[in-house]
Amino acid sequence: MEDLYREIILDHYRQPRNRHAIESPSCSADGSNPLCGDQVTVAVVVDGDRITEIGFSGQGCSISQASASMMTEYVRGRTVAEARAGVDAFQQMMTTGTVAGLEGFDDIDALVGVAKFPARVKCASLAWKTLEQALNEGGAPVTTPVTTDERNSNG
Amino acid sequence: MTIADPRDTGVQRLPFDLARIRRDFPILKREIAPGVPLVYLDNAATSQKPVQVIAELTRFYRDHNANIHRGVHTLSVESTELYEAARAKVARFINAPKTEEIIFTRNTTESLNLVAHAWARKFLHEGDEVVISEIEHHSNIVPWQMLRDARGIVLRYIPMLPDGTLDLDAARKIIGPRTKLLSITAMSNALGTIVSLEVLVPLAKAQGAVVMVDGAQSVPHLPVDVQALDIDFLAFSAHKMLGPTGIGILWGKMALLDAMDPFLGGGDMILTVNMERSTWADVPAKFEAGTPNVADAIAFGAAIDYLDALGMDAVREHEREITDYALRRLADVPGVSIFGPMDADLRGGVISFELEGVHPHDIGQVLDTRGVAIRTGHHCAQPVMLALNVPATARASFYLYNTTDEVDKLAASLQEVTRFFGGGR
Ligand SMILES: Cc1ncc(COP(=O)(O)O)c(C=O)c1O
């Protein structure tokens, strides 16, 4: 269990960073995992090619909310291209189970354990996919693909 | 020692001996990690299987396997007999007037869809009303929404009251002269609520409506008698009542089944085929196109024998006791709030709850490390989640093999969850 719930994750869950509204965002997006009820809204201010402000709101499990908090910390102050690279690196970490080595931000590596819990990968990915959607110009809300073990209809 | 059942000749009753029952379920000896025994509390999703059912499945494949209704050879005759004997057991179990009224499907979902296609599409017209409720499983919502979009029928919902029971006063207004079908669950899988069929069925019957009951949760856990209930269709799944996956039941009154067109076309469901047209076989063959799931139907017969031997009254009484104990035990755990009726007489062995400050997913994950298997999420009943104003709940659900010790483990593990996430929002 400690593989999944590292102390740093619980810390981000209990004291989320950048959990606030953004006055006039350049773009924003809503993401949700309807099957588990995780929900995240991400709003960013882009100045030139740099993300100067980012905030999120939402509700959900500790993994989804901690990941959102970490994502905002990572992205803030970086260029859009770097943010996109971060999204890719994070997805990579979720599929391979090896740390992303995201430069200058070790907290995220704590989420590597999630890769061993297939049912939870979509929780961790939600905020990142939502960010990507926002950057693609706040279009359709993101619904992260449902993983098989959650797709069951067994009531 | 066996006790003769006073009402029923033929069936040998066994006393409800929990230790013996548990020995019949090999999986209950499983450990989730070294030294961490399984505490299986996800029975509303699917039940575990006793050795008797597993053995029947193997015996069929080992000793009798052949296609049914087709050959004159010995194995085909034996397979056919075993398959039809299973049908007769199912009929007796729900007190169906005729064995041929039992149709083997894949699951409850298919049974409900069969009626939506083969009965409702033929007999319902634009403006006709289908009444369901706010606490239905998605499988008793979506087929009717599809029918509404295809045929222009009107779909109406009996609302849920805050305590998780249905609003019967509202039902009296909603069920009216335009109601052609009441399709309703007998027990909510999300909240455990036992629905007042004794009130709702007469309301619908007084309007001349057909009544279908989703028995996916009731047939495994309560005595069910289709004649006493005065209903027209009943749908349920073998896998939730000790049987294998891949077998469901649709029971319907013969007059209704006779009047319906087939659901699927192909082999086994025809009387004659020429290049112009075909004529249909009689019920139930008319609805069992293609090679059916012979082995699982036969193994389901063994599951019914198992339940019959214990008696559904005894099964219900055991679950009522466990549920009553669990309701009291969980209410004592700091931070736990329970959804649905608090009286164990009004609910089956299903308890949906939340734990303050901890998302259901996190509860489920930590419980798993203690061997405790529960379900988290929306339980395929999103309208219920909306009405409760929660994104998801955690749900523990019991069956005949669960013990009060297991409830204690659940309660103790929940306290650990709170300790672990303590300080969370
Ligand atoms: C009340 C209810 N109806 C219908 C279903 C659907 O059953 P199945 O998935 O076996 O088709 C379930 C369980 O999944 C249920 O609990």
Side-chain angles (χ1 to χ4, degrees):
Chain A
M1 186 171 79
E2 282 65 26
D3 270 0
L4 184 60
Y5 295 117
R6 303 262 175 89
E7 193 46 47
I8 188 77
I9 296 177
L10 294 178
D11 181 59
H12 275 269
Y13 175 56
R14 290 175 190 140
Q15 277 125 26
R17 333 290 200 250
N18 302 309
R19 189 185 173 85
H20 51 63
I22 297 287
E23 272 300 313
S24 31
S26 319
C27 51
S28 69
D30 297 323
S32 69
N33 287 320
L35 280 159
C36 19
D38 295 331
Q39 189 267 320
V40 170
T41 300
V42 175
V44 296
V45 176
V46 182
D47 187 359
D49 67 350
R50 200 160 286 278
I51 296 172
T52 54
E53 263 305 328
I54 182 162
F56 83 99
S57 61
Q59 51 171 336
C61 65
S62 56
I63 302 295
S64 71
Q65 302 302 302
S67 183
S69 167
M70 291 180 185
M71 181 278 289
T72 60
E73 268 212 313
Y74 174 72
V75 162
R76 204 166 142 197
R78 294 186 193 258
T79 65
V80 170
E82 284 168 339
R84 286 184 189 282
V87 172
D88 290 343
F90 187 82
Q91 293 305 341
Q92 194 65 21
M93 177 166 95
M94 287 298 110
T95 38
T96 61
T98 49
V99 294
L102 285 172
E103 172 228 331
F105 196 64
D106 306 337
D107 284 12
I108 285 174
D109 292 345
L111 284 168
V112 68
V114 175
K116 277 191 254 161
F117 297 82
R120 305 304 292 277
V121 166
K122 67 187 181 307
C123 309
S125 305
L126 181 62
W128 298 80
K129 290 197 172 163
T130 308
L131 167 70
E132 190 174 33
Q133 182 68 26
L135 294 176
N136 290 347
E137 213 9 275
V142 172
T143 300
T144 39
V146 170
T147 56
T148 40
D149 57 335
E150 282 287 336
R151 258 189 52 239
N152 52 13
S153 70
N154 44 39
Chain B
M1 184 192 71
T2 60
I3 303 165
D5 178 38
R7 293 167 317 169
D8 197 344
T9 50
V11 178
Q12 293 275 297
R13 275 300 129 88
L14 290 173
F16 200 93
D17 174 349
L18 197 49
R20 185 187 53 78
I21 289 171
R22 287 183 69 82
R23 280 197 298 277
D24 286 336
F25 291 81
I27 210 166
L28 298 180
K29 294 184 200 83
R30 215 197 118 158
E31 297 189 335
I32 292 307
V36 183
L38 170 68
V39 175
Y40 187 75
L41 302 179
D42 194 16
N43 293 285
T46 201
S47 77
Q48 297 302 347
K49 323 300 175 196
V51 278
Q52 289 84 344
V53 169
I54 300 167
E56 187 68 13
L57 197 56
T58 324
R59 179 163 49 229
F60 173 74
Y61 282 125
R62 216 186 39 213
D63 299 341
H64 304 289
N65 178 54
N67 210 326
I68 57 166
H69 297 312
R70 302 204 175 168
V72 293
H73 62 78
T74 302
L75 293 188
S76 178
V77 171
E78 286 173 2
S79 294
T80 306
E81 274 170 8
L82 287 165
Y83 182 71
E84 294 305 328
R87 194 192 306 280
K89 287 177 189 179
V90 176
R92 196 160 21 78
F93 191 69
I94 59 169
N95 196 25
K98 298 193 176 84
T99 296
E100 303 77 50
E101 293 171 334
I102 300 295
I103 296 159
F104 285 117
T105 63
R106 278 188 308 139
N107 48 37
T108 304
T109 304
E110 186 173 301
S111 299
L112 294 166
N113 276 274
L114 197 164
V115 171
H117 274 82
W119 180 80
R121 274 177 195 248
K122 184 165 181 189
F123 294 107
L124 297 191
H125 306 102
E126 193 166 339
D128 285 348
E129 295 185 358
V130 171
V131 176
I132 63 174
S133 84
E134 204 175 351
I135 61 172
E136 299 308 317
H137 186 277
H138 294 166
S139 61
N140 194 28
I141 301 176
V142 182
W144 308 117
Q145 291 175 338
M146 291 164 72
L147 186 71
R148 179 196 60 201
D149 296 345
R151 282 290 195 277
I153 57 124
V154 178
L155 183 55
R156 304 194 64 184
Y157 291 81
I158 302 171
M160 179 185 105
L161 293 170
D163 71 351
T165 60
L166 290 184
D167 185 339
L168 297 177
D169 289 331
R172 287 187 183 93
K173 301 199 185 82
I174 290 167
I175 298 171
R178 276 200 285 271
T179 305
K180 291 293 182 297
L181 174 69
L182 171 69
S183 186
I184 189 119
T185 186
M187 188 202 290
S188 154
N189 65 302
L191 297 170
T193 314
I194 296 176
V195 170
S196 307
L197 293 180
E198 71 289 355
V199 175
L200 295 175
V201 175
L203 286 176
K205 289 280 155 172
Q207 303 293 343
V210 164
V211 177
M212 172 152 69
V213 169
D214 171 356
Q217 295 297 335
S218 64
V219 178
H221 302 283
L222 308 172
V224 171
D225 175 332
V226 293
Q227 297 188 58
L229 285 171
D230 190 25
I231 59 178
D232 300 294
F233 291 111
L234 177 70
F236 55 103
S237 297
H239 71 90
K240 293 185 198 285
M241 48 191 294
L242 313 184
T245 52
I247 276 290
I249 299 295
L250 174 67
W251 167 81
K253 280 197 181 139
M254 188 48 85
L256 289 166
L257 296 173
D258 254 343
M260 286 155 64
D261 287 336
F263 179 36
L264 302 172
D268 281 331
M269 52 73 70
I270 44 83
L271 203 54
T272 60
V273 178
N274 64 35
M275 282 162 69
E276 278 305 311
R277 62 175 53 82
S278 308
T279 56
W280 313 139
D282 285 343
V283 175
K286 181 167 86 175
F287 297 108
E288 293 182 1
T291 300
N293 187 348
V294 181
D296 289 316
I298 292 167
F300 182 34
I304 293 207
D305 288 342
Y306 194 95
L307 291 170
D308 256 341
L310 292 172
M312 288 309 290
D313 288 324
V315 170
R316 167 61 184 155
E317 183 48 27
H318 173 71
E319 289 180 32
R320 206 197 55 76
E321 280 167 20
I322 289 276
T323 307
D324 184 53
Y325 181 76
L327 285 170
R328 285 185 283 120
R329 199 72 181 70
L330 292 186
D332 278 349
V333 176
V336 166
S337 358
I338 295 171
F339 300 108
M342 286 306 288
D343 180 348
D345 288 337
L346 302 181
R347 71 153 91 208
V350 174
I351 302 183
S352 257
F353 59 93
E354 64 178 355
L355 185 57
E356 197 187 343
V358 190
H359 189 275
H361 252 195
D362 291 321
I363 302 174
Q365 194 90 56
V366 177
L367 258 47
D368 182 57
T369 65
R370 304 293 181 267
V372 181
I374 62 160
R375 175 96 193 267
T376 64
H378 59 49
H379 319 296
C380 298
Q382 281 181 315
V384 174
M385 301 296 119
L386 271 175
L388 298 173
N389 195 24
V390 294
T393 72
R395 182 190 71 186
S397 53
F398 311 112
Y399 210 1
L400 42 80
Y401 36 68
N402 288 121
T403 66
T404 50
D405 273 359
E406 290 179 311
V407 173
D408 289 341
K409 267 193 197 151
L410 169 66
S413 307
L414 285 173
Q415 271 167 316
E416 284 179 49
V417 173
T418 302
R419 233 172 286 134
F420 189 74
F421 286 97
R425 284 163 298 126

